[in-house]
Amino acid sequence: MQEFLFALTLSALPVASNFMGAMIAEALPSSKQTLGLALHATAGVLLAIASTELIPRVLIAKPVWAAILALFLGGAFFVWINQLLKLSKNRLRGVDHNSVSWVIFLSIAIDLFGDGLMIGTSLTIAPHLGVMLTSGRVVAHIPEGFVTNAEFKSQNMPRTQRFWLLAAFLIPVWLGATLGYWGLRGQTDLPKLIVLAFTTGTLMVAIVEEILPEAHQTQDTNLSTLTFIGSFALSMLFSSYLE
């Protein structure tokens, strides 16, 4: 039980760094340029996670087609959820309302679920592996928290409601950690990699179809592009030195 509590504690750290990024957004004045930079940074970090950490792990599955199918189903699941979200918001608030902030919230929640899953699963292998993965994820979630809070602020959402939503990120990360620790403990590698592949598919669709298009609708500049590739490179660098 102590190891499980350790898993919950570790998995809560990315949520804490996410909240730190949100507090930065709370302190800074809202602007399209700042939001655009944060969106590009978030896309860079998430793309680095998917391409350098998740996909290489997925491709070692035996048989590999099962993991690739799970990746596709994960992307299809996000498309379905996104469509349901848009339909619900259109019915409640009118067809012209933007649901990108909720899509970003959902994509980060999925990312946190994947973090919890990786942390919980890794602790069943070796404690130091879980600590290493957690350290890499803590830094990555600062720009994500900034974007989430900035998007909700731009829609004039009350501060109390925003903070409750940020606190709600504990739910997916602890759910992932619980599933990784108890649900996959003692299992072979294939079930773990299939769940990881499903999560990867959802992230890839969120990055390409939602976050990057929204980033280009802000004040897109050369600095935005450099922020994107810089956050990608820094995420890779940080992850590489922790391995």
Side-chain angles (χ1 to χ4, degrees):
M1 182 57 70
Q2 288 183 345
E3 291 182 355
F4 176 60
L5 293 177
F6 183 58
L8 294 181
T9 302
L10 279 182
S11 60
L13 294 180
V15 179
S17 65
N18 190 285
F19 192 81
M20 185 186 303
M23 291 303 97
I24 296 174
E26 196 70 25
L28 295 178
S30 298
S31 70
K32 287 188 175 181
Q33 183 176 7
T34 303
L35 182 59
L37 291 175
L39 283 166
H40 278 83
T42 299
V45 170
L46 290 177
L47 187 60
I49 294 167
S51 60
T52 65
E53 294 185 17
L54 299 180
I55 291 179
R57 297 175 188 270
V58 167
L59 292 178
I60 67 173
K62 303 291 183 183
V64 69
W65 66 263
I68 293 174
L69 177 60
L71 186 144
F72 170 79
L73 293 176
F77 173 76
F78 187 89
V79 171
W80 177 65
I81 291 294
N82 189 21
Q83 187 63 30
L84 286 180
L85 182 62
K86 288 181 177 179
L87 288 174
S88 299
K89 287 181 68 65
N90 289 342
R91 289 176 180 175
L92 291 173
R93 302 185 181 183
V95 295
D96 293 328
H97 282 266
N98 192 347
S99 62
V100 171
S101 58
W102 289 101
V103 171
I104 292 173
F105 177 86
L106 179 62
S107 66
I108 293 176
I110 292 170
D111 181 29
L112 283 166
F113 173 81
D115 288 348
L117 184 66
M118 285 190 293
I119 292 168
T121 303
S122 63
L123 286 175
T124 65
I125 302 172
H128 74 274
L129 182 59
V131 174
M132 181 191 72
L133 289 174
T134 303
S135 301
R137 304 305 306 122
V138 164
V139 175
H141 276 286
I142 294 177
E144 294 179 9
F146 182 97
V147 167
T148 305
N149 199 32
E151 279 284 354
F152 282 135
K153 279 182 65 178
S154 68
Q155 294 192 10
N156 298 318
M157 181 181 291
R159 179 182 296 180
T160 302
Q161 185 177 352
R162 294 199 307 269
F163 285 1
W164 275 113
L165 287 171
L166 291 169
F169 280 140
L170 282 170
I171 297 174
V173 77
W174 278 347
L175 180 62
T178 301
L179 177 62
Y181 188 83
W182 293 113
L184 299 176
R185 189 180 189 185
Q187 299 291 323
T188 61
D189 288 340
L190 184 60
K192 302 175 185 177
L193 295 176
I194 285 176
V195 174
L196 204 61
F198 186 90
T199 306
T200 303
T202 60
L203 279 180
M204 292 177 63
V205 173
I207 295 165
V208 175
E209 296 298 330
E210 298 295 342
I211 298 178
L212 280 176
E214 176 67 9
H216 289 308
Q217 291 180 14
T218 60
Q219 294 182 3
D220 205 7
T221 63
N222 290 334
L223 180 59
S224 302
T225 305
L226 291 174
T227 301
F228 167 76
I229 193 62
S231 63
F232 183 95
L234 285 174
S235 183
M236 286 183 60
L237 183 67
F238 193 80
S239 178
S240 297
Y241 275 98
L242 283 174
E243 290 183 355

